[in-house]
Amino acid sequence: MENAHKLLDGRKIAGEMHQKISADVEVLGTDGWPLKLVSVSIGETDAARLYVRNQKRTAGKLGIAFEERDYPAEISESELLGIIQGLNTDPRVTGIIIQRPTPQHVSVRRLQRAVHPFKDVEGMHPSNIGSIVYEVPKMGPCTAMASVHLLKATKTPLQGLEVTVIGHSAIVGKPIAFLLMAEGATVTVCHHETRNLAMHSRAADVVFVAVGKAGLVTGDMLKPGAVVIDIGINQVDTPDGPKVVGDADFESCAETAGWITPVPGGVGPVTVATLMRNAVTAAQLQRDHYTSEFGTAHSVYAHLPPGSSGAG
Ligand code: NAD
């Protein structure tokens, strides 16, 4: 069968997003709101190092300052919560990124909850997740927002679309489902207890897969012409050495799919671009808050309103 799929090029789509973001960053800077992200890494993790490098490079390209902070694995959770409170009240900091994974004794959820919602560029604070459920998203979780952005780039009308989301994590699968319901799609969510995954994926016009299992979705599990958005990141050994692949078996899926994202080069770059777009939104929210509170857009040395739930 002829290989008729079209590649959803995440690098190209991210590049288009970058143009608008860097223009917004420039305007904010001229208005007295230069953007700065602070990345908090805890302990040595090679996986996080790669993410931080990508984030730093993209931030630099877009005129956003990026401060990398590395804390030792032994640091206590309460010390980290104190550090986050300091960043929340530092007017020079636009947004805070908590790199994962964290050591066992540090709850990433508790750290995310401590980040002020106006500085939550990862879109992980319960109030930002809640805004998605209420259909008023401000800063949504980056990977979920990026995955939906990629689907929209295919120009597929979303109203009434049959969508199957495989994986139901709080930061990827569930927010994707809510974002798509808001667009009028009919959404089925599958997870590790789902009895017949193929039955659900074959019925779908669009399949999102975010599980972390290489080869989970194969071409025979798809409706011909379906869109496949592959969010998984898996390192596999090949005769040519280690390789990063998604959750979809690219070769067989590309035979059946209408559109498919590559891994790497699909969801990843759009996720980083979404993080930067959230940084712009964070700066705008902070500027608008100070403007309405103090009557000037130049009060970068004021404090944020209460709103973070602290150690919660
Ligand atoms: P998670 O471990 O929190 O959740 C995994 C989900 O997969 C769960 O909902 C679980 O029920 C489901 N699952 C497990 N086995 C299954 C099976 N056999 N059939 C159907 N569902 C099954 O993972 P996560 O944080 O959502 O990440 C998922 C994947 O996405 C990982 O590979 C991760 O590396 C990747 N990821 C990519 C990005 C990106 O920017 N591209 C960002 C975040 C996560």
Side-chain angles (χ1 to χ4, degrees), residues 51 100 143 166-173 190-194 197 209-213 216 230-234 247 267-268 271-272:
Y51 291 129
R100 289 173 300 275
T143 305
I166 309 174
H168 72 337
S169 69
I171 58 161
V172 189
C190 300
H191 44 75
H192 60 283
E193 305 276 17
T194 300
L197 195 59
V209 56
V211 170
K213 284 201 167 90
L216 181 70
D230 189 354
I231 298 147
I233 302 174
N234 309 288
D247 289 344
V267 175
T271 298
V272 180

PDB file of all heavy atoms in Angstrom, residues 51 100 143 166-173 190-194 197 209-213 216 230-234 247 267-268 271-272, ligand 1:
ATOM      1  N   TYR A  51      16.151  18.322  28.758  1.00  0.00           N
ATOM      2  CA  TYR A  51      15.009  19.247  28.701  1.00  0.00           C
ATOM      3  C   TYR A  51      15.459  20.670  29.008  1.00  0.00           C
ATOM      4  O   TYR A  51      15.078  21.614  28.332  1.00  0.00           O
ATOM      5  CB  TYR A  51      13.926  18.860  29.731  1.00  0.00           C
ATOM      6  CG  TYR A  51      13.209  17.581  29.429  1.00  0.00           C
ATOM      7  CD1 TYR A  51      13.086  16.600  30.396  1.00  0.00           C
ATOM      8  CD2 TYR A  51      12.631  17.358  28.179  1.00  0.00           C
ATOM      9  CE1 TYR A  51      12.430  15.407  30.137  1.00  0.00           C
ATOM     10  CE2 TYR A  51      11.971  16.169  27.921  1.00  0.00           C
ATOM     11  CZ  TYR A  51      11.879  15.200  28.899  1.00  0.00           C
ATOM     12  OH  TYR A  51      11.232  14.031  28.630  1.00  0.00           O
ATOM     13  N   ARG A 100      11.418  17.664  36.341  1.00  0.00           N
ATOM     14  CA  ARG A 100      11.146  16.317  36.835  1.00  0.00           C
ATOM     15  C   ARG A 100      12.176  15.352  36.239  1.00  0.00           C
ATOM     16  O   ARG A 100      12.684  15.635  35.152  1.00  0.00           O
ATOM     17  CB  ARG A 100       9.731  15.883  36.418  1.00  0.00           C
ATOM     18  CG  ARG A 100       8.650  16.619  37.169  1.00  0.00           C
ATOM     19  CD  ARG A 100       7.288  16.291  36.607  1.00  0.00           C
ATOM     20  NE  ARG A 100       7.156  16.663  35.211  1.00  0.00           N
ATOM     21  CZ  ARG A 100       6.823  17.867  34.783  1.00  0.00           C
ATOM     22  NH1 ARG A 100       6.557  18.820  35.607  1.00  0.00           N
ATOM     23  NH2 ARG A 100       6.760  18.146  33.494  1.00  0.00           N
ATOM     24  N   THR A 143       2.455  20.190  27.478  1.00  0.00           N
ATOM     25  CA  THR A 143       2.412  19.064  26.526  1.00  0.00           C
ATOM     26  C   THR A 143       0.994  18.870  25.986  1.00  0.00           C
ATOM     27  O   THR A 143       0.804  18.620  24.792  1.00  0.00           O
ATOM     28  CB  THR A 143       2.927  17.774  27.191  1.00  0.00           C
ATOM     29  OG1 THR A 143       4.222  18.039  27.708  1.00  0.00           O
ATOM     30  CG2 THR A 143       3.008  16.634  26.205  1.00  0.00           C
ATOM     31  N   ILE A 166      -5.075   7.906  24.592  1.00  0.00           N
ATOM     32  CA  ILE A 166      -4.545   6.731  25.311  1.00  0.00           C
ATOM     33  C   ILE A 166      -3.546   7.247  26.350  1.00  0.00           C
ATOM     34  O   ILE A 166      -2.540   7.865  25.993  1.00  0.00           O
ATOM     35  CB  ILE A 166      -3.884   5.731  24.351  1.00  0.00           C
ATOM     36  CG1 ILE A 166      -4.837   5.394  23.185  1.00  0.00           C
ATOM     37  CG2 ILE A 166      -3.471   4.461  25.097  1.00  0.00           C
ATOM     38  CD1 ILE A 166      -4.219   4.527  22.101  1.00  0.00           C
ATOM     39  N   GLY A 167      -3.851   7.006  27.601  1.00  0.00           N
ATOM     40  CA  GLY A 167      -3.065   7.557  28.723  1.00  0.00           C
ATOM     41  C   GLY A 167      -3.901   8.614  29.404  1.00  0.00           C
ATOM     42  O   GLY A 167      -4.458   9.487  28.719  1.00  0.00           O
ATOM     43  N   HIS A 168      -4.016   8.533  30.732  1.00  0.00           N
ATOM     44  CA  HIS A 168      -4.909   9.485  31.418  1.00  0.00           C
ATOM     45  C   HIS A 168      -4.206  10.207  32.570  1.00  0.00           C
ATOM     46  O   HIS A 168      -4.783  10.464  33.618  1.00  0.00           O
ATOM     47  CB  HIS A 168      -6.197   8.793  31.874  1.00  0.00           C
ATOM     48  CG  HIS A 168      -6.055   7.847  33.041  1.00  0.00           C
ATOM     49  ND1 HIS A 168      -4.866   7.247  33.396  1.00  0.00           N
ATOM     50  CD2 HIS A 168      -6.972   7.417  33.930  1.00  0.00           C
ATOM     51  CE1 HIS A 168      -5.070   6.468  34.461  1.00  0.00           C
ATOM     52  NE2 HIS A 168      -6.350   6.568  34.797  1.00  0.00           N
ATOM     53  N   SER A 169      -2.930  10.569  32.368  1.00  0.00           N
ATOM     54  CA  SER A 169      -2.214  11.267  33.438  1.00  0.00           C
ATOM     55  C   SER A 169      -2.779  12.676  33.611  1.00  0.00           C
ATOM     56  O   SER A 169      -3.386  13.236  32.695  1.00  0.00           O
ATOM     57  CB  SER A 169      -0.713  11.345  33.116  1.00  0.00           C
ATOM     58  OG  SER A 169      -0.494  12.213  32.044  1.00  0.00           O
ATOM     59  N   ALA A 170      -2.525  13.222  34.817  1.00  0.00           N
ATOM     60  CA  ALA A 170      -3.076  14.543  35.156  1.00  0.00           C
ATOM     61  C   ALA A 170      -2.481  15.648  34.290  1.00  0.00           C
ATOM     62  O   ALA A 170      -3.119  16.674  34.066  1.00  0.00           O
ATOM     63  CB  ALA A 170      -2.815  14.832  36.632  1.00  0.00           C
ATOM     64  N   ILE A 171      -1.246  15.442  33.793  1.00  0.00           N
ATOM     65  CA  ILE A 171      -0.597  16.537  33.057  1.00  0.00           C
ATOM     66  C   ILE A 171      -0.688  16.384  31.549  1.00  0.00           C
ATOM     67  O   ILE A 171      -0.433  17.322  30.815  1.00  0.00           O
ATOM     68  CB  ILE A 171       0.884  16.715  33.475  1.00  0.00           C
ATOM     69  CG1 ILE A 171       1.685  15.426  33.239  1.00  0.00           C
ATOM     70  CG2 ILE A 171       0.988  17.148  34.920  1.00  0.00           C
ATOM     71  CD1 ILE A 171       3.171  15.668  33.187  1.00  0.00           C
ATOM     72  N   VAL A 172      -1.037  15.189  31.059  1.00  0.00           N
ATOM     73  CA  VAL A 172      -1.108  15.010  29.601  1.00  0.00           C
ATOM     74  C   VAL A 172      -2.504  14.538  29.167  1.00  0.00           C
ATOM     75  O   VAL A 172      -3.277  15.303  28.577  1.00  0.00           O
ATOM     76  CB  VAL A 172      -0.007  14.049  29.061  1.00  0.00           C
ATOM     77  CG1 VAL A 172       0.000  14.081  27.540  1.00  0.00           C
ATOM     78  CG2 VAL A 172       1.378  14.401  29.580  1.00  0.00           C
ATOM     79  N   GLY A 173      -2.825  13.281  29.438  1.00  0.00           N
ATOM     80  CA  GLY A 173      -4.058  12.688  28.886  1.00  0.00           C
ATOM     81  C   GLY A 173      -5.333  13.404  29.317  1.00  0.00           C
ATOM     82  O   GLY A 173      -6.172  13.751  28.473  1.00  0.00           O
ATOM     83  N   CYS A 190      -8.572   6.172  27.238  1.00  0.00           N
ATOM     84  CA  CYS A 190      -8.148   4.803  27.567  1.00  0.00           C
ATOM     85  C   CYS A 190      -6.955   4.854  28.517  1.00  0.00           C
ATOM     86  O   CYS A 190      -6.211   5.832  28.534  1.00  0.00           O
ATOM     87  CB  CYS A 190      -7.715   4.068  26.297  1.00  0.00           C
ATOM     88  SG  CYS A 190      -9.024   3.934  25.075  1.00  0.00           S
ATOM     89  N   HIS A 191      -6.776   3.789  29.273  1.00  0.00           N
ATOM     90  CA  HIS A 191      -5.667   3.731  30.232  1.00  0.00           C
ATOM     91  C   HIS A 191      -5.279   2.273  30.454  1.00  0.00           C
ATOM     92  O   HIS A 191      -5.745   1.391  29.712  1.00  0.00           O
ATOM     93  CB  HIS A 191      -6.057   4.444  31.534  1.00  0.00           C
ATOM     94  CG  HIS A 191      -7.435   4.102  31.990  1.00  0.00           C
ATOM     95  ND1 HIS A 191      -7.735   2.906  32.575  1.00  0.00           N
ATOM     96  CD2 HIS A 191      -8.605   4.796  31.864  1.00  0.00           C
ATOM     97  CE1 HIS A 191      -9.027   2.870  32.828  1.00  0.00           C
ATOM     98  NE2 HIS A 191      -9.589   4.005  32.393  1.00  0.00           N
ATOM     99  N   HIS A 192      -4.477   2.032  31.490  1.00  0.00           N
ATOM    100  CA  HIS A 192      -3.937   0.669  31.665  1.00  0.00           C
ATOM    101  C   HIS A 192      -5.013  -0.367  31.997  1.00  0.00           C
ATOM    102  O   HIS A 192      -4.764  -1.560  31.886  1.00  0.00           O
ATOM    103  CB  HIS A 192      -2.833   0.667  32.734  1.00  0.00           C
ATOM    104  CG  HIS A 192      -3.293   1.125  34.080  1.00  0.00           C
ATOM    105  ND1 HIS A 192      -3.500   2.458  34.367  1.00  0.00           N
ATOM    106  CD2 HIS A 192      -3.612   0.439  35.191  1.00  0.00           C
ATOM    107  CE1 HIS A 192      -3.917   2.560  35.615  1.00  0.00           C
ATOM    108  NE2 HIS A 192      -3.995   1.355  36.144  1.00  0.00           N
ATOM    109  N   GLU A 193      -6.201   0.061  32.417  1.00  0.00           N
ATOM    110  CA  GLU A 193      -7.271  -0.897  32.715  1.00  0.00           C
ATOM    111  C   GLU A 193      -8.205  -1.113  31.511  1.00  0.00           C
ATOM    112  O   GLU A 193      -9.145  -1.897  31.591  1.00  0.00           O
ATOM    113  CB  GLU A 193      -8.137  -0.398  33.892  1.00  0.00           C
ATOM    114  CG  GLU A 193      -7.385  -0.071  35.159  1.00  0.00           C
ATOM    115  CD  GLU A 193      -7.137  -1.281  36.031  1.00  0.00           C
ATOM    116  OE1 GLU A 193      -7.264  -2.423  35.528  1.00  0.00           O
ATOM    117  OE2 GLU A 193      -6.816  -1.086  37.205  1.00  0.00           O
ATOM    118  N   THR A 194      -7.973  -0.381  30.432  1.00  0.00           N
ATOM    119  CA  THR A 194      -8.854  -0.490  29.274  1.00  0.00           C
ATOM    120  C   THR A 194      -8.767  -1.896  28.685  1.00  0.00           C
ATOM    121  O   THR A 194      -7.659  -2.407  28.468  1.00  0.00           O
ATOM    122  CB  THR A 194      -8.466   0.575  28.213  1.00  0.00           C
ATOM    123  OG1 THR A 194      -8.616   1.856  28.817  1.00  0.00           O
ATOM    124  CG2 THR A 194      -9.333   0.489  26.975  1.00  0.00           C
ATOM    125  N   LEU A 197      -8.075  -1.942  23.754  1.00  0.00           N
ATOM    126  CA  LEU A 197      -7.538  -0.663  23.269  1.00  0.00           C
ATOM    127  C   LEU A 197      -7.806  -0.475  21.770  1.00  0.00           C
ATOM    128  O   LEU A 197      -8.239   0.590  21.327  1.00  0.00           O
ATOM    129  CB  LEU A 197      -6.030  -0.657  23.546  1.00  0.00           C
ATOM    130  CG  LEU A 197      -5.287   0.660  23.455  1.00  0.00           C
ATOM    131  CD1 LEU A 197      -5.867   1.668  24.436  1.00  0.00           C
ATOM    132  CD2 LEU A 197      -3.800   0.442  23.743  1.00  0.00           C
ATOM    133  N   VAL A 209      -1.548   9.463  21.882  1.00  0.00           N
ATOM    134  CA  VAL A 209      -1.021   8.404  22.743  1.00  0.00           C
ATOM    135  C   VAL A 209       0.085   8.955  23.637  1.00  0.00           C
ATOM    136  O   VAL A 209       1.058   9.531  23.163  1.00  0.00           O
ATOM    137  CB  VAL A 209      -0.609   7.132  21.943  1.00  0.00           C
ATOM    138  CG1 VAL A 209       0.403   7.427  20.856  1.00  0.00           C
ATOM    139  CG2 VAL A 209      -0.116   6.032  22.872  1.00  0.00           C
ATOM    140  N   ALA A 210      -0.130   8.817  24.954  1.00  0.00           N
ATOM    141  CA  ALA A 210       0.818   9.322  25.960  1.00  0.00           C
ATOM    142  C   ALA A 210       0.922   8.277  27.058  1.00  0.00           C
ATOM    143  O   ALA A 210       0.268   8.383  28.094  1.00  0.00           O
ATOM    144  CB  ALA A 210       0.329  10.658  26.524  1.00  0.00           C
ATOM    145  N   VAL A 211       1.737   7.269  26.826  1.00  0.00           N
ATOM    146  CA  VAL A 211       1.834   6.149  27.762  1.00  0.00           C
ATOM    147  C   VAL A 211       3.280   5.914  28.220  1.00  0.00           C
ATOM    148  O   VAL A 211       3.557   5.796  29.412  1.00  0.00           O
ATOM    149  CB  VAL A 211       1.250   4.864  27.124  1.00  0.00           C
ATOM    150  CG1 VAL A 211       1.563   3.631  27.967  1.00  0.00           C
ATOM    151  CG2 VAL A 211      -0.261   5.010  26.957  1.00  0.00           C
ATOM    152  N   GLY A 212       4.216   5.880  27.262  1.00  0.00           N
ATOM    153  CA  GLY A 212       5.593   5.541  27.613  1.00  0.00           C
ATOM    154  C   GLY A 212       5.898   4.081  27.323  1.00  0.00           C
ATOM    155  O   GLY A 212       6.664   3.453  28.039  1.00  0.00           O
ATOM    156  N   LYS A 213       5.251   3.536  26.251  1.00  0.00           N
ATOM    157  CA  LYS A 213       5.523   2.143  25.840  1.00  0.00           C
ATOM    158  C   LYS A 213       5.754   2.134  24.328  1.00  0.00           C
ATOM    159  O   LYS A 213       4.794   2.312  23.555  1.00  0.00           O
ATOM    160  CB  LYS A 213       4.323   1.239  26.163  1.00  0.00           C
ATOM    161  CG  LYS A 213       4.199   0.899  27.620  1.00  0.00           C
ATOM    162  CD  LYS A 213       3.346  -0.371  27.808  1.00  0.00           C
ATOM    163  CE  LYS A 213       3.483  -0.900  29.207  1.00  0.00           C
ATOM    164  NZ  LYS A 213       2.550  -0.409  30.179  1.00  0.00           N
ATOM    165  N   LEU A 216       3.279   0.598  21.259  1.00  0.00           N
ATOM    166  CA  LEU A 216       1.946   0.271  21.806  1.00  0.00           C
ATOM    167  C   LEU A 216       0.856   0.368  20.725  1.00  0.00           C
ATOM    168  O   LEU A 216      -0.046  -0.461  20.675  1.00  0.00           O
ATOM    169  CB  LEU A 216       1.612   1.229  22.968  1.00  0.00           C
ATOM    170  CG  LEU A 216       0.272   1.003  23.642  1.00  0.00           C
ATOM    171  CD1 LEU A 216       0.278  -0.296  24.447  1.00  0.00           C
ATOM    172  CD2 LEU A 216      -0.114   2.168  24.553  1.00  0.00           C
ATOM    173  N   ASP A 230       1.660  11.498  18.646  1.00  0.00           N
ATOM    174  CA  ASP A 230       2.444  10.594  19.493  1.00  0.00           C
ATOM    175  C   ASP A 230       3.242  11.403  20.517  1.00  0.00           C
ATOM    176  O   ASP A 230       4.187  12.118  20.168  1.00  0.00           O
ATOM    177  CB  ASP A 230       3.387   9.782  18.585  1.00  0.00           C
ATOM    178  CG  ASP A 230       4.087   8.664  19.334  1.00  0.00           C
ATOM    179  OD1 ASP A 230       3.938   8.579  20.572  1.00  0.00           O
ATOM    180  OD2 ASP A 230       4.790   7.869  18.675  1.00  0.00           O
ATOM    181  N   ILE A 231       2.853  11.256  21.772  1.00  0.00           N
ATOM    182  CA  ILE A 231       3.462  12.063  22.844  1.00  0.00           C
ATOM    183  C   ILE A 231       4.558  11.281  23.571  1.00  0.00           C
ATOM    184  O   ILE A 231       5.426  11.860  24.214  1.00  0.00           O
ATOM    185  CB  ILE A 231       2.335  12.513  23.812  1.00  0.00           C
ATOM    186  CG1 ILE A 231       1.346  13.386  23.040  1.00  0.00           C
ATOM    187  CG2 ILE A 231       2.889  13.274  25.009  1.00  0.00           C
ATOM    188  CD1 ILE A 231      -0.075  13.283  23.490  1.00  0.00           C
ATOM    189  N   GLY A 232       4.539   9.972  23.447  1.00  0.00           N
ATOM    190  CA  GLY A 232       5.481   9.115  24.183  1.00  0.00           C
ATOM    191  C   GLY A 232       6.929   9.404  23.840  1.00  0.00           C
ATOM    192  O   GLY A 232       7.268   9.804  22.723  1.00  0.00           O
ATOM    193  N   ILE A 233       7.775   9.213  24.845  1.00  0.00           N
ATOM    194  CA  ILE A 233       9.227   9.322  24.648  1.00  0.00           C
ATOM    195  C   ILE A 233       9.845   8.073  25.263  1.00  0.00           C
ATOM    196  O   ILE A 233       9.709   7.842  26.461  1.00  0.00           O
ATOM    197  CB  ILE A 233       9.818  10.575  25.345  1.00  0.00           C
ATOM    198  CG1 ILE A 233       9.159  11.860  24.836  1.00  0.00           C
ATOM    199  CG2 ILE A 233      11.330  10.627  25.147  1.00  0.00           C
ATOM    200  CD1 ILE A 233       9.601  13.113  25.584  1.00  0.00           C
ATOM    201  N   ASN A 234      10.471   7.244  24.431  1.00  0.00           N
ATOM    202  CA  ASN A 234      11.060   5.994  24.917  1.00  0.00           C
ATOM    203  C   ASN A 234      12.438   5.822  24.298  1.00  0.00           C
ATOM    204  O   ASN A 234      12.606   6.064  23.099  1.00  0.00           O
ATOM    205  CB  ASN A 234      10.204   4.784  24.486  1.00  0.00           C
ATOM    206  CG  ASN A 234       8.741   4.966  24.839  1.00  0.00           C
ATOM    207  OD1 ASN A 234       8.374   4.906  26.009  1.00  0.00           O
ATOM    208  ND2 ASN A 234       7.890   5.223  23.838  1.00  0.00           N
ATOM    209  N   ASP A 247       5.352   6.213  21.223  1.00  0.00           N
ATOM    210  CA  ASP A 247       4.526   5.065  21.616  1.00  0.00           C
ATOM    211  C   ASP A 247       3.899   4.399  20.394  1.00  0.00           C
ATOM    212  O   ASP A 247       3.379   3.287  20.478  1.00  0.00           O
ATOM    213  CB  ASP A 247       3.387   5.515  22.543  1.00  0.00           C
ATOM    214  CG  ASP A 247       3.896   5.907  23.924  1.00  0.00           C
ATOM    215  OD1 ASP A 247       5.041   5.546  24.267  1.00  0.00           O
ATOM    216  OD2 ASP A 247       3.145   6.577  24.657  1.00  0.00           O
ATOM    217  N   VAL A 267       5.807  16.453  19.014  1.00  0.00           N
ATOM    218  CA  VAL A 267       5.227  17.140  20.173  1.00  0.00           C
ATOM    219  C   VAL A 267       6.291  17.917  20.973  1.00  0.00           C
ATOM    220  O   VAL A 267       6.015  19.000  21.488  1.00  0.00           O
ATOM    221  CB  VAL A 267       4.502  16.110  21.086  1.00  0.00           C
ATOM    222  CG1 VAL A 267       3.998  16.757  22.360  1.00  0.00           C
ATOM    223  CG2 VAL A 267       3.343  15.452  20.327  1.00  0.00           C
ATOM    224  N   GLY A 268       7.520  17.373  21.048  1.00  0.00           N
ATOM    225  CA  GLY A 268       8.577  17.963  21.887  1.00  0.00           C
ATOM    226  C   GLY A 268       8.824  19.446  21.625  1.00  0.00           C
ATOM    227  O   GLY A 268       8.666  20.275  22.539  1.00  0.00           O
ATOM    228  N   THR A 271       5.959  21.633  22.579  1.00  0.00           N
ATOM    229  CA  THR A 271       5.820  21.737  24.041  1.00  0.00           C
ATOM    230  C   THR A 271       6.723  22.859  24.571  1.00  0.00           C
ATOM    231  O   THR A 271       6.297  23.676  25.397  1.00  0.00           O
ATOM    232  CB  THR A 271       6.193  20.391  24.709  1.00  0.00           C
ATOM    233  OG1 THR A 271       5.275  19.406  24.251  1.00  0.00           O
ATOM    234  CG2 THR A 271       6.125  20.472  26.216  1.00  0.00           C
ATOM    235  N   VAL A 272       7.960  22.912  24.092  1.00  0.00           N
ATOM    236  CA  VAL A 272       8.880  23.965  24.566  1.00  0.00           C
ATOM    237  C   VAL A 272       8.370  25.337  24.119  1.00  0.00           C
ATOM    238  O   VAL A 272       8.383  26.306  24.889  1.00  0.00           O
ATOM    239  CB  VAL A 272      10.329  23.705  24.072  1.00  0.00           C
ATOM    240  CG1 VAL A 272      11.260  24.791  24.578  1.00  0.00           C
ATOM    241  CG2 VAL A 272      10.827  22.346  24.535  1.00  0.00           C
TER     242      VAL A 272
HETATM  243  P1  NAD B   1       2.267   8.560  33.244  1.00  0.00           P
HETATM  244  O1  NAD B   1       3.176   7.425  33.611  1.00  0.00           O
HETATM  245  O2  NAD B   1       1.889   9.554  34.264  1.00  0.00           O
HETATM  246  O3  NAD B   1       0.925   7.941  32.656  1.00  0.00           O
HETATM  247  C1  NAD B   1       0.935   6.851  31.789  1.00  0.00           C
HETATM  248  C2  NAD B   1      -0.472   6.585  31.338  1.00  0.00           C
HETATM  249  O4  NAD B   1      -0.472   5.469  30.463  1.00  0.00           O
HETATM  250  C3  NAD B   1      -1.441   6.228  32.470  1.00  0.00           C
HETATM  251  O5  NAD B   1      -2.658   6.918  32.236  1.00  0.00           O
HETATM  252  C4  NAD B   1      -1.661   4.726  32.330  1.00  0.00           C
HETATM  253  O6  NAD B   1      -2.947   4.308  32.756  1.00  0.00           O
HETATM  254  C5  NAD B   1      -1.518   4.555  30.837  1.00  0.00           C
HETATM  255  N1  NAD B   1      -1.118   3.206  30.423  1.00  0.00           N
HETATM  256  C6  NAD B   1      -0.118   2.437  30.911  1.00  0.00           C
HETATM  257  N2  NAD B   1      -0.064   1.270  30.252  1.00  0.00           N
HETATM  258  C7  NAD B   1      -1.043   1.289  29.327  1.00  0.00           C
HETATM  259  C8  NAD B   1      -1.499   0.370  28.357  1.00  0.00           C
HETATM  260  N3  NAD B   1      -0.908  -0.810  28.182  1.00  0.00           N
HETATM  261  N4  NAD B   1      -2.545   0.722  27.573  1.00  0.00           N
HETATM  262  C9  NAD B   1      -3.145   1.921  27.715  1.00  0.00           C
HETATM  263  N5  NAD B   1      -2.755   2.848  28.622  1.00  0.00           N
HETATM  264  C10 NAD B   1      -1.724   2.521  29.424  1.00  0.00           C
HETATM  265  O7  NAD B   1       2.941   9.221  31.973  1.00  0.00           O
HETATM  266  P2  NAD B   1       2.914  10.748  31.395  1.00  0.00           P
HETATM  267  O8  NAD B   1       3.683  11.632  32.310  1.00  0.00           O
HETATM  268  O9  NAD B   1       1.546  11.121  30.960  1.00  0.00           O
HETATM  269  O10 NAD B   1       3.832  10.505  30.097  1.00  0.00           O
HETATM  270  C11 NAD B   1       3.457   9.579  29.096  1.00  0.00           C
HETATM  271  C12 NAD B   1       4.511   9.559  28.018  1.00  0.00           C
HETATM  272  O11 NAD B   1       4.593  10.852  27.450  1.00  0.00           O
HETATM  273  C13 NAD B   1       5.916   9.216  28.500  1.00  0.00           C
HETATM  274  O12 NAD B   1       6.582   8.492  27.496  1.00  0.00           O
HETATM  275  C14 NAD B   1       6.568  10.575  28.675  1.00  0.00           C
HETATM  276  O13 NAD B   1       7.973  10.504  28.535  1.00  0.00           O
HETATM  277  C15 NAD B   1       5.929  11.323  27.540  1.00  0.00           C
HETATM  278  N6  NAD B   1       5.894  12.784  27.732  1.00  0.00           N
HETATM  279  C16 NAD B   1       6.278  13.538  26.679  1.00  0.00           C
HETATM  280  C17 NAD B   1       6.280  14.917  26.786  1.00  0.00           C
HETATM  281  C18 NAD B   1       6.685  15.760  25.598  1.00  0.00           C
HETATM  282  O14 NAD B   1       6.895  16.953  25.730  1.00  0.00           O
HETATM  283  N7  NAD B   1       6.762  15.165  24.402  1.00  0.00           N
HETATM  284  C19 NAD B   1       5.894  15.515  27.977  1.00  0.00           C
HETATM  285  C20 NAD B   1       5.439  14.711  29.031  1.00  0.00           C
HETATM  286  C21 NAD B   1       5.441  13.332  28.890  1.00  0.00           C
END
